[in-house]
Amino acid sequence: QQQQQQQKMMETEGSKKKETKKAPKKSKEERQEEKAQHNRIFHAIVIKSVIQLALIQTVEWIVLTSTRPESQVEKAPKRTLVGRDGDHTTEHHSHLTAVTQKRLDAEKKALEHPLDEAGEMFGRLGTARLQRLITCLLSSYTFAKKFNADIELRTKLWKAGFMKHRSKPNLLKQETTALSCALRVLFRIYEKGVDDDDENKPKFAKVEEDTLELCTSTITHFVTNVTNDTRSIWVPIMELVIRELMALSDERFTKHASRHYSILAECITLGFEGTLGNLAFLLAAFFERCRKFQL
């Protein structure tokens, strides 16, 4: 039966090819109309992509940016990274020489990079609404990720005239921006936590597991799927993840460290293909802090 089905399929394909060969050539007007139709479709795709990216950036601005003048913003203590020796400093180096000074200065600058702070709207939205926003952001990220991985579809679009005079169409900006925004919002929920009463404990457990899972999938994707030519675009997301991990309390840090230790160790091997930039310093700080714990 399988052979008969295959034979029928081959005969059908053969008849389609014959019909295609016999089809009359399209007139100049028909070709122009077809091209115009393609252009209208392509134009609509571009508009939808631009709007999608604008929506992501708007969510990021509303949730994570202060809209008040600086003079009216409450001066809350800023979050900092937990340094290599277990406190909030990165000054301890037993191997300081003139040769290493430049690198250590760059390391200090990388570790002192300011961390995210939630905007005024963050507390007013509530955890349920924020989690709904994260779900939408991750849906946008997943769609863009699948499209970027579909080389065949991107090639067909390019050959059909979409982005003809540029590289193959991609949604890399949407993919990375949506993921970055989702991570930043999720870490703010994780940082805020919930009350200690029994009713809220399951909610925090869900937030913590979501944070662990998203960090794991992000790091794994960076190590296993991101190519060298797009790695520089992904490095800021990895820096964001590790900075947020380094700002956690010891109790929360150990949970993440035990989950991500092996894949982050593998991340170091990417250095053979090129520079990792500030990510190398953050990885070094992460592994130095891990020495305190039995993971």
Side-chain angles (χ1 to χ4, degrees), residues 53-69 116-122 125 130 133 137 177 180-182 184-185:
L53 186 58
L55 285 171
I56 296 168
Q57 293 170 335
T58 301
V59 170
E60 191 173 34
W61 180 78
I62 291 174
V63 178
L64 298 170
T65 305
S66 174
T67 57
R68 296 180 183 178
D116 279 336
E117 304 291 343
E120 291 87 8
M121 286 299 297
F122 181 87
L125 288 171
L130 289 169
L133 284 174
L137 289 165
T177 305
S180 175
C181 186
R184 294 173 68 191
V185 176

Side-chain angles (χ1 to χ4, degrees), residues 13-49:
E13 290 178 0
S15 61
K16 285 182 179 179
K17 289 180 180 179
K18 290 179 181 178
E19 290 175 3
T20 304
K21 290 179 180 179
K22 294 178 181 179
K25 291 184 178 180
K26 295 180 181 179
S27 64
K28 183 178 180 181
E29 291 76 12
E30 288 176 330
R31 291 196 301 270
Q32 289 177 343
E33 176 58 30
E34 185 177 340
K35 185 177 180 180
Q37 178 65 17
H38 284 170
N39 288 337
R40 284 192 291 269
I41 295 172
F42 294 156
H43 187 61
I45 293 172
V46 171
I47 291 174
K48 288 179 180 179
S49 299

Side-chain angles (χ1 to χ4, degrees), residues 19 57 74 116 134 145 188 211 224 284:
E19 290 175 3
Q57 293 170 335
E74 296 180 8
D116 279 336
I134 291 172
K145 180 182 176 182
R188 295 292 66 71
T211 307
T224 59

